[in-house]
Every structure is written in C-alpha cells, then in structure tokens.
Amino acid sequence: MPGIGIITNPHSRRNRRYPERMRRLGYMLGQHDTYELTNRIEDVEEVARKFKESGIEILALNGGDGTNHVTLTNFIKVYGDEPLPKVALLRGGTMNTVSNAVGISGAPPKLLANLVEKYYTGQPFETTRRDILKVEDETGERYGFIFGNGIVSNFLEEYYATGNPSPTTAGVLLSKALATMPVGGELPKRLFRPFHASIEFDESMWEERDYASVLASTVDQIGLGFRPFIRCQERDHTFHLLGVTGGPVDIALALPRIRLGLPVDERKIRSEVSSRAIFRSSEPINYTIDGDMHVAQSGEVTLSTGPSVELIIK
C-alpha cells in the first residue's frame, strides 16, 4: 500500500503558534505513510519527486492557502502529465479560503485522524474535483484556485502590513474601509487604486480601461464568507472571472448580495466564464494567487485552466 504523504509548512503562522501539533501529526500516520517538513520552497520540489517515486495515493497539506498554492505548483511541475494524487487540505494556516469554499472543516489533527482511519479501513472518501488556475507571467507558471488584483491585492498588502494576519484582522480592516469610505478616508483610496488594462478571451475582449479589480476563481469564495464566483462550476475546465468597474459605493452596496452568493449588476461588476484570459497593461501588474503576492513587471498575465485535482472533503 503506497500510503499517505503529508507536507507541513513549519513557517505558517498557525503552525508556529502550535508547534506541538506538528509533532502529533507525525505520530498519527501509518507505517506506509511519509511526513515531511518543508523549510524552504526548494524543499517542496524534492519532496514531490520523492512522493511521486513512492506512488503515494493521498497528498495531505498542513498549511494555509499560500502553502497549498506553492506545493501544488511544484507537484504539477514534477508530475507533468501524470495525474496528481488525491489532495487533503488540513487547514494548518491562517488563511483557509479554499477549504472553506469546498466544505472542509475542522482542525488538522481531526482531519488527519479521519483521513488515516478511512484510508486504512477502506472507507470511501467524500471528494470534489476542481480545476486549478494556471497563472503565467514573464517569471514562469504558478498554480492555485483564486486570482485577484486591484482591490484584492491592495487589501492583502494592507492586511499583511498589520503584522497580525488573521480572520479578525481582515474583518476589522474591511469594516474600517467601509466606515471611512463616505468621508474619503485614506484606506479606501489605497484600496481602490485603479488597474488599467485590456482583457482578451478566446472569442471576445474587454476593452482597455480602468478596473477597480479583476478576479478569477474555480471555487466560489474569496474570503470572510463572501461568494462572488457563483459561476465557477458552470462548465468543466473553466473559471469564473469578474471585472469590477463600479466605484467604492457601488461595491459597498453589492457586498450583501456577494455575501449571499447572488448575482450582482453587470454594469458594475462584469462576469465571464472562460478557459483563458490575457491581461495586458502598460504598467506592472500586482496580483495574488491564493493569498501569495506576485508582480508581473512586463504588464502581461495569462490565466488558463491547469490540471484538475480531487479534493477530499471528509
């Protein structure tokens, strides 16, 4: 039996806070399973080659969205055209938006205990299959589930700058932005810096103009329970892309509908389901993939669908 391969990011904020939990996870594994700590990004590719060679059947990731994004990018590079193992997200980070979106809940020890028990007793897993976003710029290819620039990347810059990233911090920051918006506060001005670009799809194009944000995802949530990507599973091998053209007040008024996963006015937030999108701008493009920040200095970013992955829900 090939077993389970677990990767822990010891630098995730939650794992740093509870180091004893990392040790307990290793004790829970079976004799055919493998537990790896990845202290550097370079370690992940080495572990991917080891796991591929041993033929693991389940890849368990003990970190948050950023850890998952980096790990999957390296595993896709190593596995190439071969299918990835089933993936279990253990929610070991501060930001766990993807696992929230697909219905994974619980703490890492509980999730891993369920995983090990079901695997070694032959019980079926409840799973969901999702396409992964492939994001390309002049520096290479990256893979994840949620892409965003403009408001989204600006918000994350402010969020990380607090030095205390947590759901509470994010909620306070959002509340502060909404409260100071009517009086022209500095925070809303920083968040709503416009992004100027054209966006080309396979059979259509959005004209060059200012956007408050452009977002794309293969899961419905973007964080704090907001669900803007209601068409993310409309067709296989596609993603839901949103172009925010409305101003701060328009977006604030749309938040209740976004929270409930309801359609919004397309005159303010444009919507497209596609398998490919090319962003072109005369300026560098700041963007995020699953909470990790990146910059395309060339002013061009291409989104497409990468391989699909089977996620274990429970």
Side-chain angles (χ1 to χ4, degrees):
M1 181 176 286
I4 300 168
I6 179 172
I7 290 180
T8 284
N9 173 12
H11 303 296
S12 78
R13 187 169 180 268
R14 186 168 294 179
N15 284 335
R16 290 200 310 270
R17 179 178 292 180
Y18 305 110
E20 72 287 349
R21 188 166 64 186
M22 287 193 294
R23 293 189 292 271
R24 289 203 303 269
L25 293 181
Y27 300 147
M28 296 168 65
L29 295 176
Q31 62 176 337
H32 299 289
D33 303 330
T34 307
Y35 181 79
E36 298 284 350
L37 291 174
T38 51
N39 287 291
R40 304 172 304 151
I41 291 177
E42 294 79 6
D43 296 337
V44 181
E45 184 175 340
E46 181 180 340
V47 172
R49 297 188 187 281
K50 177 179 178 180
F51 283 4
K52 181 183 179 184
E53 183 177 337
S54 63
I56 64 159
E57 293 186 294
I58 297 175
L59 170 62
L61 305 180
N62 180 29
D65 291 333
T67 297
N68 302 338
H69 144 63
V70 171
T71 304
L72 289 172
T73 293
N74 280 276
F75 269 72
I76 290 168
K77 176 182 176 181
V78 169
Y79 274 68
D81 294 332
E82 294 186 29
L84 295 172
K86 290 183 177 68
V87 175
L89 307 179
L90 300 183
R91 300 176 56 85
T94 302
M95 190 180 295
N96 299 293
T97 304
V98 175
S99 58
N100 289 338
V102 299
I104 301 169
S105 61
K110 178 183 176 181
L111 290 168
L112 185 59
N114 175 72
L115 196 68
V116 172
E117 179 183 359
K118 283 190 171 181
Y119 181 72
Y120 284 103
T121 59
Q123 298 178 57
F125 292 106
E126 180 182 335
T127 66
T128 182
R129 184 166 287 278
R130 296 300 174 102
D131 293 306
I132 300 178
L133 282 176
K134 177 182 178 181
V135 183
E136 299 175 83
D137 61 21
E138 74 276 7
T139 64
E141 302 173 358
R142 300 179 179 90
Y143 295 85
F145 295 93
I146 306 169
F147 168 93
N149 62 18
I151 297 170
V152 177
S153 54
N154 296 342
F155 181 87
L156 286 176
E157 286 178 2
E158 298 285 339
Y159 169 73
Y160 292 134
T162 65
N164 183 35
S166 69
T168 300
T169 299
V172 169
L173 192 62
L174 177 61
S175 299
K176 181 179 178 181
L178 293 174
T180 58
M181 194 179 295
V183 295
E186 287 301 315
L187 178 58
K189 289 179 182 177
R190 293 197 299 271
L191 294 181
F192 284 88
R193 297 193 307 270
F195 161 69
H196 192 82
S198 64
I199 304 169
E200 178 185 327
F201 304 101
D202 286 331
E203 298 180 358
S204 62
M205 185 170 183
W206 288 355
E207 72 279 6
E208 185 174 347
R209 59 165 297 164
D210 281 347
Y211 293 91
S213 184
V214 181
L215 315 88
S217 182
T218 59
V219 298
D220 68 347
Q221 293 190 28
I222 196 169
L224 298 177
F226 288 95
R227 300 167 54 208
F229 305 108
I230 57 177
R231 301 173 64 193
C232 66
Q233 291 186 283
E234 188 171 294
R235 299 197 308 270
D236 290 339
H237 311 306
T238 62
F239 50 85
H240 188 190
L241 187 140
L242 299 169
V244 181
T245 58
V249 174
D250 298 313
I251 296 167
L253 292 174
L255 287 179
R257 295 186 64 83
I258 295 173
R259 179 83 179 185
L260 295 172
L262 298 173
V264 296
D265 188 347
E266 290 217 7
R267 293 172 298 178
K268 307 300 181 183
I269 302 180
R270 304 176 73 170
S271 180
E272 184 80 26
V273 173
S274 182
S275 61
R276 181 172 168 272
I278 303 175
F279 300 73
R280 294 190 176 94
S281 176
S282 59
E283 300 177 352
I285 300 175
N286 296 293
Y287 65 92
T288 175
I289 309 172
D290 294 351
D292 269 14
M293 305 298 294
H294 304 281
V295 181
Q297 295 291 346
S298 65
E300 183 168 317
V301 176
T302 300
L303 267 63
S304 58
T305 49
S308 64
V309 62
E310 188 175 4
L311 299 172
I312 296 175
I313 299 175
K314 60 183 178 180

